[in-house]
Amino acid sequence: MIRINIIFLLFLFSMQSYANIIVSSNSDIKTIKQAVEIAKDGETILIKEGLYEESDIVIEKSLKIIGEDEAVIKAKDGNKVFIINSDNVLIKNLTIKDMKTSYIEDISAIKINNSNSVIIENNTLINTFFGIYAANCTNLIIRDNNIISNAVEQSSSANGIHLWKCKNILVENNHVEKHRDGIYFEFVKNSLIKNNYSKLNLRYGLHFMFSDNNRYYKNRFEDNGAGVAVMYSNNIEMIENDFVENWGTNAYGLLLKEIKDSKINNNLFKTNTIGIFGESVIRCQFEHNDFMNNGWALKFISSSEQNNFLYNNFIGNTFDLATNKNSISYNVFKNNYWSSYNGYDLNKDGIGDKPHKPVDLFSTVISDSPVAIILLRSMFVDMMNFAEKIVPVITPAGLEDLEPMMKEIKHD
Amino acid sequence: MWKILKYSFIDLFRSKWILSYLFFFFIVSEGLIYFNGNLSKSVASLMNIILFLCSLIGIMFGTIYYYNSKEFIQLILAQPLKRSSIFIGHYLGMNLSLVSAFVIGTGLPFLLNGVIFSDFADSFVLLLLIGVFLTSIFSAISYYISLKSENRIAGFGLSIFIWLFFAVIYDGLLMVALLYFEDYPLDKFSLIAIMFNPIDISRILILLKLDISAMMGYSGAVFSKFFGTYLGMSISMLMLMLWSLVPIIFINKSAKSKDF
């Protein structure tokens, strides 16, 4: 009985019963385009292994397009491959490659226009100009994709995942490499970006503008041209992300510009030229972040106000904090651990008895005259900083951590 | 010259001062590795100690050693020997003992902890090289100063002042200049200014190996571009060599015409 069952199952599998249409080089339907044309609404198309040279496959109905392993689509003449104009579409397990560079058109491997509930899953996009380009969509899921290009210069390259005017998007577990911007968001709302890995992109690992109410969880941004840029947005949550090794003359782990009411918690900033660069950052929470071995851990322009910096670790940064000029900014620094703190704790409650001033004289000097960085770590500078610490004259008086922690904070 | 070099080297290397100097560096670098547990950080902390100590010890030891062995020199001068070989041999012997004490004292702990096999091997070698240069430069300067001044107190004071000038005052003046002229492009000026201070050259060279992230800021880029290239590297090495050669030439010149 069992044997019969197994045979029956095998029979079922070999029938590929879940696919309505099978595309293969030795079946009647040899091209995906043909399959899409004859398929009815709601049907499934299975693409057998093989190399298909196609482009401009326009999908106007609800379809599931699933590739077998080794199903590779090479863009014909380097043109765009899938154009999705309808709801409820699934594209899965495909490899799409070799698009051309265009300065006029936004050529992309998968383009999604005005659609609802589209799933792009487990695809590999190699040397695509734009990887996935979605405009005016809702309820998209972009998951487990490998998007790798070979961008050389910004003007002739494009973004890995590019979303414009979308809502309720999930971008999860993607690997984006060597594009202009790894992940680009503009006018995107209520979305979740989770577990992505974006590295070696020419400009930003993640770039988003005018995108409110989004959440970024557990992403890793590594060695991108200028790090991650978050601009003109409100109510952003950035939690447990890693910003690592964004080095360069004008690079930062995270650039915040015109951000309000956001949370930046439990992130790691390691060996960046600037950990967080803030301009007009207002009413934001920075809690339980680790800043390690950065050039500047924080660099905030004085237009940033009412931010709270609590329970962060500042370890081994060349400068912990730099601001311009001596304005009182109503930013609160409290209960952080500063490896450069040299106070004491007489009552042994784990909190230093003496306030810590994170802005030292030399970082003030450098914001006035950047060339003076050439005197970094010189004995004169050490003496000057020491004298300033004892009798503050120039450094911002109000800017201090009143209750610095004595030991590195363990985040849970 | 070689004979005098050999005698003063052997004489000094048996003295407890040089041995304690060696021992001090040994303890410091071993301690830094032990407490940091991290070779790159130990190299960074060692940098400050080397910039500070090698120059200071060089300056002090140069004066003290010259004044202490004045009688010996006068005795040797009675022999049929060339003056230049006496003084230069004497100086080189002292310098060699200081240098070898430094190299052994600093190098041994790092070698024992396997720095050769780590990624910091090159910055460590650079560190040693810079220590050697600083020792030679400052001991030569102080030797020349004491040769010039008969008065011990004046010679010693001047030597200390020279050290203070290069270690602290020079940077202070440079910073004042940079702040005062901040409206002008100062990249080239500061590069050139750095070249006239051996301590600054050494500091920047090591810094670029270790603190790149901060130096990479917009204006730091100019410096890392310069010092990162072979040209910049060789120019700064050349300057260090020049700095160690020029005082020797002066010693030679003044030794020839000095009355005893």
Side-chain angles (χ1 to χ4, degrees):
Chain A
M1 191 61 197
I2 294 169
R3 190 183 293 164
I4 295 171
N5 271 346
I6 290 171
I7 290 169
F8 183 60
L9 274 175
L10 283 174
F11 179 64
L12 269 183
F13 271 107
S14 62
M15 283 285 287
Q16 301 287 5
S17 62
Y18 57 91
N20 304 85
I21 298 167
I22 296 172
V23 182
S24 156
S25 50
N26 34 16
S27 78
D28 295 345
I29 303 159
K30 289 195 169 52
T31 67
I32 304 165
K33 207 173 201 169
Q34 204 183 345
V36 168
E37 266 164 29
I38 60 170
K40 293 187 201 73
D41 221 27
E43 285 192 332
T44 303
I45 296 172
L46 180 81
I47 301 170
K48 288 276 194 182
E49 70 172 271
L51 180 70
Y52 302 86
E53 204 164 321
E54 295 192 50
S55 66
D56 297 299
I57 304 168
V58 184
I59 301 172
E60 303 274 9
K61 49 201 148 195
S62 153
L63 287 177
K64 291 191 176 69
I65 300 177
I66 299 167
E68 264 193 350
D69 291 348
E70 309 292 318
V72 180
I73 303 173
K74 189 171 183 292
K76 194 177 170 192
D77 303 327
N79 275 322
K80 47 188 126 177
V81 176
F82 285 106
I83 300 141
I84 302 171
N85 292 327
S86 62
D87 300 345
N88 301 319
V89 176
L90 167 76
I91 292 187
K92 197 173 162 181
N93 282 346
L94 286 171
T95 302
I96 304 175
K97 62 178 192 181
D98 297 342
M99 328 282 291
K100 68 179 177 193
T101 300
S102 167
Y103 297 95
I104 305 158
E105 245 186 315
D106 293 338
I107 290 181
S108 53
I110 299 170
K111 182 156 192 182
I112 312 162
N113 299 316
N114 313 316
S115 305
N116 183 19
S117 306
V118 172
I119 302 174
I120 311 291
E121 200 174 36
N122 213 4
N123 300 293
T124 307
L125 311 182
I126 300 169
N127 293 343
T128 52
F129 188 55
F130 279 91
I132 298 166
Y133 189 122
N136 203 12
C137 295
T138 45
N139 301 322
L140 282 186
I141 297 176
I142 299 172
R143 196 159 45 197
D144 299 322
N145 298 293
N146 245 325
I147 309 177
I148 296 166
S149 190
N150 54 356
V152 190
E153 55 177 356
Q154 283 194 19
S155 59
S156 63
S157 54
N159 309 327
I161 297 173
H162 183 106
L163 302 180
W164 186 79
K165 201 166 180 282
C166 293
K167 240 199 273 183
N168 302 334
I169 312 291
L170 171 67
V171 180
E172 196 181 359
N173 289 339
N174 298 291
H175 177 121
V176 188
E177 201 177 310
K178 292 186 192 140
H179 283 81
R180 183 175 58 198
D181 290 346
I183 303 171
Y184 180 93
F185 276 34
E186 202 170 340
F187 309 111
V188 175
K189 300 209 176 356
N190 302 329
S191 296
L192 176 63
I193 292 90
K194 207 173 142 187
N195 275 334
N196 297 289
Y197 184 26
S198 176
K199 72 169 185 183
L200 292 170
N201 296 295
L202 289 186
R203 194 167 59 179
Y204 302 119
L206 169 74
H207 184 188
F208 68 102
M209 306 178 69
F210 312 109
S211 299
D212 299 343
N213 304 322
N214 296 312
R215 288 163 26 154
Y216 301 82
Y217 268 58
K218 296 189 176 174
N219 300 291
R220 186 174 170 87
F221 304 102
E222 195 176 318
D223 205 358
N224 296 299
V228 169
V230 181
M231 307 182 187
Y232 310 104
S233 306
N234 300 333
N235 290 322
I236 305 294
E237 275 181 31
M238 308 197 75
I239 292 166
E240 292 183 51
N241 300 292
D242 291 350
F243 302 85
V244 183
E245 284 187 17
N246 296 293
W247 265 6
T249 49
N250 202 13
Y252 17 71
L254 176 61
L255 166 75
L256 299 173
K257 192 178 160 80
E258 305 269 345
I259 301 295
K260 290 185 187 115
D261 303 304
S262 297
K263 277 185 192 154
I264 289 101
N265 296 350
N266 292 80
N267 299 293
L268 169 70
F269 297 87
K270 201 174 167 188
T271 46
N272 304 293
T273 301
I274 301 173
I276 302 182
F277 183 80
E279 210 180 313
S280 297
V281 178
I282 294 166
R283 291 188 303 273
C284 291
Q285 302 287 330
F286 298 82
E287 293 175 16
H288 291 288
N289 299 296
D290 287 329
F291 297 90
M292 297 164 93
N293 301 336
N294 301 292
W296 286 264
L298 301 171
K299 198 164 189 174
F300 274 76
I301 306 275
S302 54
S303 56
S304 300
E305 289 184 351
Q306 301 170 50
N307 301 297
N308 291 330
F309 296 85
L310 311 172
Y311 307 108
N312 300 294
N313 285 320
F314 293 87
I315 300 167
N317 303 299
T318 311
F319 302 102
D320 286 333
L321 174 63
T323 67
N324 57 344
K325 300 304 167 198
N326 210 340
S327 57
I328 296 171
S329 52
Y330 305 104
N331 294 311
V332 175
F333 287 87
K334 212 174 148 192
N335 295 120
N336 299 293
Y337 169 74
W338 312 85
S339 64
S340 55
Y341 178 60
N342 52 6
Y344 43 79
D345 178 21
L346 287 182
N347 55 2
K348 303 275 179 214
D349 59 354
I351 295 169
D353 299 346
K354 200 175 82 167
H356 177 67
K357 290 184 166 299
V359 183
D360 58 15
L361 180 58
F362 188 51
S363 66
T364 321
V365 168
I366 283 182
S367 52
D368 280 352
S369 168
V371 194
I373 186 104
I374 203 151
L375 295 173
L376 180 70
R377 292 211 185 187
S378 113
M379 233 172 286
F380 174 73
V381 166
D382 291 347
M383 284 163 69
M384 201 180 69
N385 278 338
F386 182 68
E388 177 74 15
K389 265 215 171 93
I390 295 171
V391 190
V393 185
I394 298 166
T395 47
L399 230 175
E400 55 189 12
D401 190 334
L402 288 171
E403 297 175 6
M405 306 302 270
M406 293 305 289
K407 280 199 178 128
E408 197 180 326
I409 296 155
K410 301 251 185 305
H411 314 302
D412 32 43
Chain B
M1 183 171 107
W2 298 113
K3 209 148 218 176
I4 292 178
L5 191 157
K6 203 178 99 190
Y7 279 122
S8 61
F9 176 72
I10 290 170
D11 171 41
L12 268 176
F13 215 78
R14 280 186 309 201
S15 84
K16 58 178 186 282
W17 288 109
I18 291 289
L19 284 179
S20 54
Y21 184 54
L22 188 157
F23 199 61
F24 170 80
F25 265 113
F26 185 84
I27 295 284
V28 165
S29 14
E30 187 63 51
L32 279 174
I33 295 169
Y34 184 76
F35 287 114
N36 274 336
N38 176 339
L39 285 175
S40 93
K41 271 193 182 163
S42 317
V43 171
S45 342
L46 202 58
M47 179 192 90
N48 280 328
I49 296 174
I50 286 177
L51 289 183
F52 179 81
L53 272 185
C54 280
S55 50
L56 184 61
I57 298 286
I59 266 268
M60 287 191 358
F61 206 81
T63 20
I64 292 171
Y65 184 61
Y66 175 80
Y67 287 130
N68 275 353
S69 46
K70 215 166 168 185
E71 279 95 32
F72 167 72
I73 289 173
Q74 277 163 352
L75 185 78
I76 297 282
L77 279 172
Q79 306 297 319
L81 286 169
K82 259 170 71 185
R83 273 195 168 196
S84 61
S85 62
I86 294 175
F87 283 96
I88 290 175
H90 191 237
Y91 158 73
L92 284 181
M94 170 200 69
N95 186 33
L96 197 66
S97 56
L98 274 179
V99 161
S100 36
F102 161 72
V103 170
I104 295 169
T106 317
L108 214 57
F110 276 84
L111 284 186
L112 292 178
N113 287 284
V115 79
I116 293 293
F117 307 107
S118 72
D119 304 339
F120 316 109
D122 54 340
S123 44
F124 173 70
V125 170
L126 184 69
L127 202 68
L128 284 187
L129 202 65
I130 276 164
V132 169
F133 269 124
L134 283 180
T135 310
S136 325
I137 292 167
F138 281 91
S139 57
I141 290 176
S142 66
Y143 194 92
Y144 174 67
I145 289 172
S146 14
L147 198 63
K148 273 300 216 190
S149 103
E150 283 295 320
N151 184 343
R152 279 176 185 228
I153 304 295
F156 200 71
L158 187 60
S159 299
I160 292 290
F161 175 77
I162 293 278
W163 173 78
L164 202 65
F165 177 79
F166 282 121
V168 182
I169 298 171
Y170 189 90
D171 290 350
L173 294 176
L174 183 57
M175 180 181 281
V176 170
L178 292 180
L179 285 178
Y180 192 77
F181 297 108
E182 63 177 292
D183 297 337
Y184 300 90
L186 291 168
D187 303 337
K188 287 220 174 94
F189 165 75
S190 49
L191 271 182
I192 293 167
I194 286 296
M195 289 298 164
F196 288 97
N197 182 347
I199 296 185
D200 276 348
I201 304 176
S202 321
R203 184 170 50 79
I204 296 287
L205 278 177
I206 303 176
L207 218 56
L208 278 167
K209 278 249 177 280
L210 302 173
D211 248 7
I212 294 181
S213 47
M215 291 297 285
M216 285 291 266
Y218 355 91
S219 59
V222 180
F223 306 130
S224 47
K225 216 178 226 166
F226 176 75
F227 286 102
T229 58
Y230 278 106
L231 180 74
M233 205 66 173
S234 26
I235 287 180
S236 27
M237 279 296 165
L238 205 72
M239 279 311 283
L240 283 177
M241 276 178 212
L242 222 68
W243 265 106
S244 27
L245 269 179
V246 167
I248 298 180
I249 294 168
F250 274 91
I251 290 172
N252 192 18
K253 217 178 120 198
S254 131
K256 270 181 188 155
S257 56
K258 188 172 161 67
D259 285 333
F260 281 92

